[in-house]
Amino acid sequence: MGKDVIIACDFPDGERTLGFLDRFTERKPFVKIGMELFYAEGPDIVRKIKARGHRIFLDLKLHDIPNTVKRVLSGLDVDMCNLHAAGTKAMMEAALEGLTREDGTRPLLIAVTQLTSTSEERMRDELLISAPLEEVVAKYALNARDAGLDGVVCSPLEAEKVHSVCGSGFLTVTPGVRFADGAVQDQVRVTTPEREKALGSDYIVVGRPITASPDPVSAYEICRDRFIG
Ligand code: C5P
């Protein structure tokens, strides 16, 4: 399981997504399909991108009763998908069952611990979770590991802590990457691909620094070189 750069394909429709991916004629990047594109185009867009030889992280952040999550995930032909650890271990275990194919293989399954948009104050005042945010993230990551999941989505600044609590083989998938000389857009806490490498992240999720670049293929290759090379 090697380190890789995942491109967040946050486009509003399939046409723009496929047009963007057409540019990658040599190396076929690992791509993330999020709710925006999936709800607009349905499962067909997953099949189309898969047929072009890309690996896919389907970022649907599921959170429902175990039986529903298990059924939604059954027979899904992607390489990575995710759910909320807040759905509890029973839901995560059911998800793994649903994902496992007849031959025993399955996509990687990773958990969202706390969204980075949730502050410690809101967690305490609205969700009545009084433990410090870092402790909550570590506990949810441990629950995910105990349920048999492969890793978590987290802030790059949490990757070290997650590895120290859950072991170095437990994957950290981290967004918030910017080139040192690039605009940060709406991200608040950002790191560079080089820093992500040093922090021990396993997969970095990079959107606009690649998708909004005038030369996305070069931006992707530079990002790869700095993170993996
Ligand atoms: O364009 P940008 O590089 O900011 O895209 C980052 C991607 O990672 C987006 O798809 C965003 O939704 C996702 N993400 C994030 N922060 C999180 C979780 C997911 O930026 N905490």
Side-chain angles (χ1 to χ4, degrees):
M1 223 152 4
K3 291 187 172 243
D4 212 343
V5 172
I6 302 177
I7 304 181
C9 285
D10 295 322
F11 297 105
D13 56 51
E15 201 183 321
R16 263 174 276 194
T17 308
L18 297 176
F20 169 77
L21 293 177
D22 278 343
R23 292 164 167 261
F24 294 83
T25 50
E26 313 232 317
R27 205 194 307 274
K28 300 285 181 186
F30 201 141
V31 301
K32 177 169 91 74
I33 300 177
M35 288 189 219
E36 184 184 6
L37 186 58
F38 191 76
Y39 286 132
E41 300 285 347
D44 202 38
I45 190 68
V46 175
R47 288 189 275 271
K48 280 187 183 150
I49 296 175
K50 195 78 191 150
R52 291 167 169 233
H54 295 273
R55 280 175 297 152
I56 297 177
F57 168 20
L58 187 59
D59 179 19
L60 296 183
K61 300 187 180 69
L62 298 176
H63 189 173
D64 208 319
I65 60 168
N67 187 52
T68 302
V69 170
K70 179 178 168 179
R71 292 168 66 107
V72 168
L73 293 178
S74 299
L76 206 61
D77 189 19
V78 296
D79 301 277
M80 183 186 285
C81 56
N82 62 356
L83 40 61
H84 276 278
T88 76
K89 286 191 220 173
M91 185 196 76
M92 294 192 266
E93 285 161 3
L96 281 178
E97 269 179 53
L99 277 176
T100 305
R101 306 179 183 109
E102 272 182 15
D103 63 3
T105 63
R106 64 166 175 80
L108 292 172
L109 183 60
I110 58 173
V112 176
T113 54
Q114 282 292 334
L115 293 170
T116 44
S117 49
T118 305
S119 67
E120 199 161 281
E121 291 69 40
R122 287 195 169 162
M123 214 175 56
R124 185 188 59 229
D125 298 344
E126 297 177 26
L127 308 180
L128 300 184
I129 300 172
S130 52
L133 185 59
E134 198 188 68
E135 242 177 71
V136 176
V137 168
K139 173 65 177 156
Y140 283 26
L142 265 178
N143 288 348
R145 193 203 61 183
D146 291 349
L149 269 66
D150 303 290
V152 288
V153 188
C154 63
S155 147
L157 305 168
E158 290 160 359
E160 234 169 346
K161 169 92 180 171
V162 168
H163 281 142
S164 76
V165 171
C166 298
S168 58
F170 193 68
L171 302 174
T172 52
V173 180
T174 61
V177 182
R178 293 294 179 266
F179 292 122
D181 55 356
V184 299
Q185 286 109 3
D186 57 350
Q187 296 283 12
V188 179
R189 296 190 303 163
V190 299
T191 51
T192 60
E194 297 91 325
R195 180 98 181 100
E196 296 260 4
K197 183 181 179 182
L199 288 168
S201 174
D202 297 288
Y203 291 89
I204 54 174
V205 177
V206 189
R208 289 160 291 178
I210 295 175
T211 56
S213 161
D215 185 352
V217 178
S218 304
Y220 168 68
E221 290 296 339
I222 290 169
C223 202
R224 252 185 132 255
D225 278 354
R226 293 182 184 172
F227 179 59
I228 306 169

